[in-house]
Amino acid sequence: MTALHDPRGSSTGVDDAALVELRTEVREFLRDEIDRGAFAPDVDSWMTGFDPAFSRRLGERGWLGMTTPTEYGGRGRTPVERFVITEELLAHGAPVAAHWIADRQMAPGILANGTEEQKRRYLPGIASGSIYFAIGMSEPDAGSDLASVRTRARDTGDTWTITGTKVWTTGAHVSHAMVLLARTDGTPEDRQQGLSQILVDLSHPDIEVRPLRSIDGQAHFNEVVFHDAVVDKSALLGRRGNGWQQVMSELAFERSGPERYLSTLPLLRAWTDHLRETGATAEQRRTLGTLTAQAWALRRMSLQVAAELSAGGKPDVLAAMVKDLGSIFEGDLVDAVRAASGIVARRSGGTSLERLLGQSVLHTPAFTLRGGTNEILRGIVARGMGIR
């Protein structure tokens, strides 16, 4: 299936021919990787496909840290050029989980709010595919109420002493560092006020990482417990008390990318290949056409976010819309292929298509939860549109 990959480029301020050349280069690299057995396409690969060697190969090609300035080891390219690369990686089901969070939102977050020391310490490693990040936001018993943060970082002079628990922390067991949202001032009743971000190295002896197994038996989620962990005062990211505003800016990167509607595209591609080989009924062709049209519309929305980021904008509302609609589409795609194909989903054995369907079925429940539940996102959209 190639309908999602627009060779014509778009009106994003980037030369269309350059985008086509970049996309072609990435496709050739990925096809070679698949042909030589370096990886097999998987669904939801940006969450579960942890392969440090693959991440380093991307870094060597200059395909990480794309929007980071060259002085910090990046490439100084645009969000639209980065979009082209990430879209192809996801469409091919490449194992990108190791570097994903660091490259997606921590690089721009540190670039926007970090000290010079923090930029020099973390950004080159992110761009080379050798430093991985987790995000410490969600907490036990809080649900989607992110503002009810109870994890506390106490000011102890030259240090912060951190106590509390974060949960559903993707990749914490394999990450080098975490960006932690903690309360430095006030009480939980102060809500968004008094929150700060702190960069914490996860090798700390007083930080405990406990794996949480999901329905498919994997443990890419974690509970992270801070047992009075002491970190240097310089670990503060940005301004004290400005954590909520910084997190909201970073969420535009987290919620708007193509991973919000392409997690299950490898399944759709595999089914398309299957139909090409076996023939498709009229109903199957209608299903395929409908799914392709929906994905295309979501792609245009996501690409618009990338264009606005390139122009220096803050497309928070549009990003929330992309995440809401995209995560629903990912699940609908699984249901549609399952119903239209008549194929039995399998966790192991069988054909690649059966295995991809099995993976997709097990991962679907998380789609509308991660990155903010859809109900919360709709509230963000409503407020952004002035609806009370």
Side-chain angles (χ1 to χ4, degrees):
M1 177 180 178
T2 59
L4 295 183
H5 311 293
D6 183 7
R8 300 168 298 175
S10 59
S11 55
T12 57
V14 180
D15 180 73
D16 288 354
L19 292 179
V20 171
E21 181 180 356
L22 177 61
R23 188 181 296 280
T24 300
E25 183 182 357
V26 178
R27 284 183 179 177
E28 290 175 349
F29 165 77
L30 291 171
R31 287 167 182 163
D32 179 68
E33 290 277 297
I34 293 172
D35 289 344
R36 70 183 185 85
F39 73 88
D42 272 333
V43 298
D44 221 16
S45 60
W46 65 275
M47 285 285 288
T48 61
F50 184 81
D51 186 340
F54 182 82
S55 293
R56 286 194 296 271
R57 290 198 293 277
L58 292 181
E60 290 168 359
R61 287 178 169 267
W63 292 343
L64 301 181
M66 286 283 288
T67 61
T68 300
T70 56
E71 63 185 293
Y72 299 117
R75 300 294 164 170
R77 308 285 282 274
T78 68
V80 174
E81 290 170 296
R82 181 184 180 275
F83 184 98
V84 167
I85 292 174
T86 57
E87 186 176 45
E88 290 296 330
L89 291 169
L90 294 167
H92 285 82
V96 295
H99 68 264
W100 194 261
I101 290 172
D103 184 64
R104 179 184 66 187
Q105 68 201 90
M106 285 322 305
I110 293 172
L111 189 62
N113 302 300
T115 63
E116 188 65 20
E117 178 185 357
Q118 290 168 341
K119 293 174 185 177
R120 300 287 178 187
R121 179 178 181 181
Y122 293 111
L123 293 179
I126 293 175
S128 67
S130 59
I131 290 182
Y132 315 137
F133 264 86
I135 303 173
M137 290 188 188
S138 300
E139 297 194 356
D141 304 320
S144 292
D145 187 9
L146 180 59
S148 62
V149 170
R150 291 178 294 179
T151 296
R152 179 167 292 277
R154 300 193 311 276
D155 186 341
T156 47
D158 293 332
T159 59
W160 301 103
T161 299
I162 305 171
T163 307
T165 302
K166 295 295 180 178
V167 75
W168 310 123
T169 311
T170 303
H173 61 304
V174 290
S175 294
H176 302 95
M178 168 191 283
V179 57
L180 173 73
L181 182 64
R183 187 164 297 283
T184 53
D185 301 280
T187 68
E189 287 69 33
D190 292 318
R191 308 291 294 164
Q192 294 94 338
Q193 306 302 313
L195 298 176
S196 303
Q197 286 186 301
I198 297 175
L199 298 174
V200 181
D201 288 347
L202 288 174
S203 60
H204 196 294
D206 295 319
I207 298 177
E208 180 183 3
V209 179
R210 302 170 178 170
L212 299 173
R213 295 202 176 275
S214 52
I215 193 172
D216 61 357
Q218 297 185 16
H220 52 270
F221 292 128
N222 299 272
E223 181 180 55
V224 182
V225 184
F226 296 83
H227 299 286
D228 291 330
V230 178
V231 301
D232 193 81
K233 206 60 170 290
S234 64
L236 179 70
L237 177 65
R239 289 192 295 108
R240 179 171 177 169
N242 198 49
W244 184 263
Q245 290 76 13
Q246 292 171 197
V247 164
M248 291 300 104
S249 294
E250 291 167 13
L251 285 175
F253 295 95
E254 178 176 345
R255 291 170 172 166
S256 64
E259 69 270 29
R260 295 308 177 183
Y261 59 93
L262 292 184
S263 295
T264 51
L265 185 68
L267 170 64
L268 186 58
R269 288 168 63 107
W271 184 49
T272 304
D273 292 339
H274 176 75
L275 293 178
R276 187 179 296 114
E277 296 172 359
T278 62
T281 66
E283 182 61 31
Q284 288 172 331
R285 287 195 295 270
R286 280 192 292 272
T287 299
L288 178 60
T290 298
L291 293 172
T292 301
Q294 291 175 316
W296 184 264
L298 287 163
R299 178 185 188 271
R300 299 306 302 177
M301 292 176 65
S302 187
L303 190 56
Q304 182 60 38
V305 174
E308 292 189 24
L309 290 171
S310 286
K314 295 183 177 180
D316 299 349
V317 173
L318 182 57
M321 293 175 66
V322 171
K323 196 278 178 185
D324 179 12
L325 297 173
S327 59
I328 292 173
F329 167 75
E330 289 180 324
D332 289 347
L333 186 156
V334 177
D335 292 339
V337 171
R338 192 178 193 182
S341 68
I343 292 171
V344 176
R346 299 181 185 277
R347 289 192 60 188
S348 60
T351 67
S352 175
L353 177 57
E354 291 169 338
R355 181 180 57 82
L356 288 170
L357 180 58
Q359 290 176 341
S360 299
V361 170
L362 293 176
H363 284 232
T364 295
F367 292 162
T368 58
L369 297 176
R370 60 194 186 194
T373 65
N374 287 29
E375 292 78 9
I376 293 295
L377 294 173
R378 290 165 194 167
I380 293 173
V381 172
R383 288 192 295 273
M385 299 177 68
I387 300 173
R388 301 292 181 181

